[in-house]
């Protein structure tokens, strides 16, 4: 590894090493009584459970070694918050130690770790993204301008023009779901899976056509999945179709999101939302 300037491919190798360590430990306690032991609250504001803490410790141990080789970066993680490693550089690492932690603690087999590397402090600076599905062992990654992969095989979004399979996330359904309900009704099938970055990654691999994230998310919730989706040919915006690449890499909540395998599906979904808002302001 270049002690000062690791390449995107070197970062992916580091992240895959982290994924291997996570797969050896985290699935073993998912769904157990220990997984749900409350530790406190993370820097992102959500309740931290033992399984979250274990995942983050594995990640931080690996990044400590990278920093020990002379690489400087800013870590932004849901649990520990913001930490500076080594000399200050423009490299930022966004970490969600356990994407879908509620699934993991209850033993629902759909949860992941997502890590994004940026060469700046905004989402437009996404350089490399990595999502490891800790229930299946599948790895998804992407490098800016180079493409996206699943288990080493290049992936691309489906070319579907219809919303055959639509997924959504709404952590505050009583408040947020009404806005996206018309789109859900227009779909042939819908799913609420519980892990945003993993949703985006499986979309990149052809599993779903459209994703609606009704509750404002934090950048670490979706950054890695965002790059994987974009490099596979997909598109992600705010609920009005606005650009989100200017969002800061940070701990604060951002905006509701909509992602699609192509611009046609995205446009149709946005039109449905706008028409509903015009009728029910």
């Amino acid at each position: 590894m270049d002690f000062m300037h690791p390449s995107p491919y070197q970062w992916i190798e580091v992240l895959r090493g982290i994924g291997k360590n996570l797969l050896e430990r985290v699935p073993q306690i998912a769904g157990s009584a220990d997984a749900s032991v409350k530790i406190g609250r993370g820097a992102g504001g959500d309740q931290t459970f033992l399984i979250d803490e274990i995942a983050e410790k594995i990640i931080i141990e690996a990044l400590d070694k990278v920093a020990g080789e002379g690489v400087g970066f800013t870590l932004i993680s849901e649990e520990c918050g913001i930490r500076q490693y080594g000399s200050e550089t423009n490299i930022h690492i966004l970490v969600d130690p356990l994407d879908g932690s509620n699934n993991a603690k209850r033993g629902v087999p759909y949860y992941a770790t997502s890590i994004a590397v940026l060469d700046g402090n905004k989402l437009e600076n996404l350089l490399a993204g990595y999502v490891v599905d800790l229930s299946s062992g599948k790895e998804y990654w992407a490098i800016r301008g180079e493409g996206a992969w699943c288990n080493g095989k290049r992936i691309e979004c489906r070319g579907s023009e219809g919303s055959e399979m639509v997924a959504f996330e709404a952590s505050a359904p009583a408040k947020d779901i009404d806005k996206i309900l018309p789109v859900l009704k227009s779909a042939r099938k819908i799913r609420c899976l519980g892990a945003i970055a993993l949703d985006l990654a499986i979309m990149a691999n052809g599993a779903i056509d459209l994703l609606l994230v009704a509750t404002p998310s934090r950048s670490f919730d979706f950054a890695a999945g965002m790059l994987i989706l974009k490099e596979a040919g997909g598109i992600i915006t705010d609920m009005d179709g606005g650009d989100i690449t200017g969002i800061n890499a940070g701990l604060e909540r951002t905006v509701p999101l909509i992602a699609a395998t192509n611009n046609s599906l995205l446009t149709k979904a946005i039109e449905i939302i706008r028409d509903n808002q015009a009728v029910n302001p």
Side-chain angles (χ1 to χ4, degrees):
M1 176 176 284
D2 183 328
F3 286 168
M4 297 302 294
H5 305 289
S7 72
Y9 291 94
Q10 288 174 312
W11 276 116
I12 291 296
E13 287 308 304
V14 169
L15 302 184
R16 293 192 67 196
I18 292 172
K20 181 180 179 181
N21 293 336
L22 289 163
L23 285 165
E24 290 175 353
R25 183 77 191 279
V26 176
Q28 307 307 314
I29 63 169
S32 70
D34 287 344
S36 296
V37 172
K38 294 180 180 179
I39 302 298
R41 289 204 174 272
D46 291 339
Q47 181 73 56
T48 300
F49 297 91
L50 180 61
I51 194 168
D52 300 299
E53 185 177 71
I54 289 171
E56 186 176 71
K57 282 184 176 180
I58 291 170
I59 296 165
I60 288 178
E61 285 175 4
L63 292 179
D64 280 342
K65 292 180 181 179
V66 173
E69 294 177 355
V71 180
F73 55 87
T74 301
L75 170 66
I76 303 171
S77 177
E78 179 176 18
E79 307 305 333
C80 74
I82 301 174
R83 293 184 183 180
Q84 181 65 43
Y85 285 79
S87 58
E88 189 168 342
T89 68
N90 64 342
I91 295 296
H92 290 69
I93 301 179
L94 281 170
V95 175
D96 187 350
L98 208 51
D99 177 35
S101 57
N102 282 301
N103 285 349
K105 72 180 184 181
R106 290 175 176 265
V108 178
Y110 192 81
Y111 54 94
T113 292
S114 68
I115 307 175
V117 180
L118 300 83
D119 54 0
N121 64 353
K122 296 183 183 298
L123 293 183
E124 65 187 2
N125 305 121
L126 279 165
L127 179 65
Y130 176 77
V131 175
V132 55
D133 183 341
L134 295 172
S135 58
S136 72
K138 285 186 177 180
E139 296 177 292
Y140 304 86
W141 68 86
I143 292 172
R144 184 177 67 211
E146 299 293 331
W149 294 263
C150 174
N151 288 350
K153 182 180 178 180
R154 289 290 290 265
I155 57 176
E156 293 182 355
C157 291
R158 290 170 62 94
S160 174
E161 291 299 314
S163 299
E164 297 177 10
M165 183 72 78
V166 173
F168 72 98
E169 303 292 349
S171 58
K175 176 183 177 183
D176 296 327
I177 206 167
D178 282 349
K179 184 176 182 179
I180 64 171
L181 192 56
V183 181
L184 302 183
K185 288 181 176 180
S186 72
R188 287 187 61 191
K189 300 290 182 181
I190 62 172
R191 299 288 186 269
C192 184
L193 301 169
I196 298 170
L198 187 52
D199 292 344
L200 293 167
I202 68 170
M203 177 185 284
N205 200 26
I208 55 180
D209 303 308
L210 187 72
L211 173 66
L212 302 154
V213 183
T215 306
S217 303
R218 283 85 43 112
S219 55
F220 53 74
D221 289 323
F222 61 89
M226 172 180 172
L227 183 63
I228 293 167
L229 178 68
K230 291 179 71 173
E231 287 295 326
I235 184 170
I236 180 170
T237 69
D238 66 22
M239 280 285 182
D240 297 317
D243 181 31
I244 62 171
T245 59
I247 288 175
N248 289 326
L251 297 171
E252 65 278 1
R253 289 195 175 273
T254 60
V255 294
L257 304 170
I258 183 166
T261 55
N262 58 64
N263 193 62
S264 176
L265 288 180
L266 184 87
T267 300
K268 289 175 184 177
I270 291 170
E271 287 175 352
I272 291 172
I273 292 172
R274 286 177 178 168
D275 289 346
N276 180 64
Q277 288 176 326
V279 175
N280 302 292

